[in-house]
Amino acid sequence: MRNLRILVIDNSITFKETLVQELNRRLPPGSLVEHASQPVEAQGKLSLFQPTIILLNFALASAIVNHEKFLPLLVKSAANTPIIAYGILDNSQTTAKRLGATIYLKKPSTGQPMNGFFNTLTSNILVIHTQKVAANTDIGTGAMVTKEIWKATKPAPPPTVEKQPAEQRTAAPKIEPFITSTANKNDINLIAIGASTGGTEAITKVLQGLRPPLPGIVIVQHIPPMFSKLFAERLNHESKFTVKEAVSGDVVIPNHIYIAPGGKHMTVKRMGSQYMLECKPGPPVHSVCPSVDVLFDSVAAEAGSRAMGVILTGMGRDGADGLLNMRQQGSHTLGQDAATATVYGMPKAAYEIGAVEKQLPLNSIPLAILKLAQ
């Protein structure tokens, strides 16, 4: 992948060497990986190597360099360069984002399997880089996180009943509070989920919290080709459902999950009492393909009030208008909250236009899905 330059900063020589090897093996041809063991060495390589993404062992984040903590100093020195921090503690995510990291990933402890971590790390690198290149703009780190990560304190405003054209779905509609499962007369027979940055971890946690029986689930995660198949295979082993990368012609059946293939938009088409999937290349929407909006709009048109939409962590606003479309057609809609989202971009955009019926922390979303759909 042209112009993808990764700088790994890690004071563990053994893990750093392993990480560099894994990245060189997994990243597309043309990617460059450089490394540094200490903050001073890393600062020297910033101007020479000019990384597009920085990977940082979070154990170095609070190291003092020139009377400043290293991570905030790194944010200032490498302006507009995304920083992915990783560490062994679960509770470091909030601190990492407060100090300026774009993403924090939990690294397995010594002796635990590492393959899943390397897959997740690589997919996040490619998602961030693909979005940055497609948008032809820098996405930033500290400043972006400061603006995007915020805690909503008021209930989401609901949308109007009438369907609006996609290009007109901008005003915040007026609506009732959260609709309980008894308020929807139609049984839910399709669940649609959309996510981007940080989504592979969020989707994994949601699916691990679900149990059969459930209607078929269709998912768009912004992810490059090849990695969508690996992601589906991993979820197939880590959840209680059958998970596969979707292909055109797949019929959505209960207790099965379909991941949109990288580089192809995924839509649903109603056929009697069933839904069939179509996956095909198309122009990027919000600079991405697959697009959450493309999926959600098709679900709104084909399933209406018999569907449920869920929007999770991610940069930008892909999925916000489509989720509003779903809600206007009677679908239940859920959004991840600011406190638990890796990047509160897509859920925030959806919340602000009234597309989100209920905003919840990540660990509460599986129970809400089960309550509404079972």
Side-chain angles (χ1 to χ4, degrees):
M1 182 175 287
R2 295 180 59 189
N3 301 322
L4 177 53
R5 299 183 302 280
I6 308 297
L7 176 60
V8 177
I9 308 173
D10 198 314
N11 58 348
S12 171
I13 296 176
T14 301
F15 182 75
K16 180 185 66 180
E17 291 178 349
T18 301
L19 179 54
V20 169
Q21 289 175 359
E22 291 293 334
L23 291 174
N24 281 325
R25 184 169 70 86
R26 295 162 187 266
L27 291 174
S31 304
L32 300 177
V33 182
E34 184 55 78
H35 56 86
S37 298
Q38 298 296 334
V40 174
E41 181 188 2
Q43 286 186 301
K45 290 189 174 182
L46 284 177
S47 59
L48 294 173
F49 184 59
Q50 295 185 337
T52 52
I53 295 175
I54 296 171
L55 308 185
L56 174 67
N57 181 347
F58 193 63
L60 292 172
S62 296
I64 302 300
V65 181
N66 297 330
H67 308 290
E68 289 189 60
K69 289 185 177 181
F70 178 52
L71 179 50
L73 181 63
L74 185 61
V75 170
K76 290 191 291 185
S77 302
N80 299 320
T81 303
I83 299 173
I84 300 178
Y86 55 86
I88 60 174
L89 299 179
D90 283 313
N91 59 0
S92 295
Q93 176 172 306
T94 301
T95 304
K97 291 193 290 186
R98 178 174 55 80
L99 293 176
T102 307
I103 299 175
Y104 175 83
L105 299 178
K106 169 74 165 62
K107 185 184 81 170
S109 302
T110 303
Q112 293 182 327
M114 298 295 295
N115 193 58
F117 170 76
F118 292 131
N119 282 339
T120 298
L121 177 61
T122 305
S123 66
N124 274 284
I125 289 172
L126 295 177
V127 166
I128 290 173
H129 186 70
T130 300
Q131 290 180 330
K132 184 175 180 180
V133 171
N136 195 29
T137 183
D138 292 329
I139 55 178
T141 51
M144 180 276 298
V145 172
T146 301
K147 292 177 182 178
E148 294 286 12
I149 305 298
W150 60 280
K151 176 75 173 177
T153 57
K154 58 184 179 181
T160 56
V161 176
E162 292 185 10
K163 181 179 178 181
Q164 299 173 326
E167 63 273 13
Q168 296 179 5
R169 293 181 228 140
T170 55
K174 301 175 181 177
I175 200 170
E176 73 282 350
F178 179 54
I179 305 169
T180 63
S181 58
T182 57
N184 192 341
K185 296 179 180 179
N186 296 322
D187 292 332
I188 292 173
N189 59 20
L190 184 65
I191 300 171
I193 299 175
S196 184
T197 311
T200 54
E201 303 85 54
I203 290 169
T204 299
K205 290 179 180 178
V206 168
L207 297 189
Q208 288 176 339
L210 298 177
R211 63 179 184 274
L214 277 177
I217 301 175
V218 289
I219 297 176
V220 165
Q221 160 69 41
H222 295 162
I223 199 167
M226 182 183 72
F227 284 93
S228 51
K229 181 175 177 61
L230 294 174
F231 182 45
E233 290 173 350
R234 193 189 92 191
L235 291 175
N236 190 51
H237 293 292
E238 296 181 358
S239 73
K240 299 179 178 66
F241 302 86
T242 300
V243 186
K244 70 184 295 287
E245 183 184 50
V247 297
S248 289
D250 276 342
V251 175
V252 180
I253 58 178
N255 302 322
H256 283 61
I257 299 170
Y258 305 83
I259 307 294
K264 295 182 180 180
H265 292 305
M266 180 170 71
T267 57
V268 301
K269 182 68 176 177
R270 187 176 182 87
M271 300 182 63
S273 61
Q274 296 181 310
Y275 301 99
M276 188 176 72
L277 298 179
E278 183 176 43
C279 304
K280 62 181 181 180
V285 176
H286 299 295
S287 302
V288 292
C289 181
S291 162
V292 182
D293 264 334
V294 170
L295 173 64
F296 283 178
D297 278 336
S298 73
V299 172
E302 301 295 324
S305 63
R306 305 197 65 164
M308 179 193 307
V310 182
I311 192 163
L312 302 174
T313 174
M315 296 178 186
R317 60 170 296 106
D318 185 32
D321 292 334
L323 195 70
L324 178 58
N325 191 3
M326 288 184 63
R327 191 173 185 194
Q328 289 173 334
Q329 301 309 307
S331 302
H332 286 305
T333 60
L334 305 174
Q336 187 175 355
D337 70 0
T340 62
T342 301
V343 178
Y344 188 53
M346 287 163 48
K348 177 184 177 184
Y351 178 86
E352 288 183 335
I353 64 172
V356 175
E357 186 179 17
K358 183 67 175 178
Q359 188 168 242
L360 298 166
L362 183 64
N363 61 6
S364 297
I365 289 177
L367 181 60
I369 292 174
L370 290 171
K371 177 182 177 182
L372 293 170
Q374 284 190 335

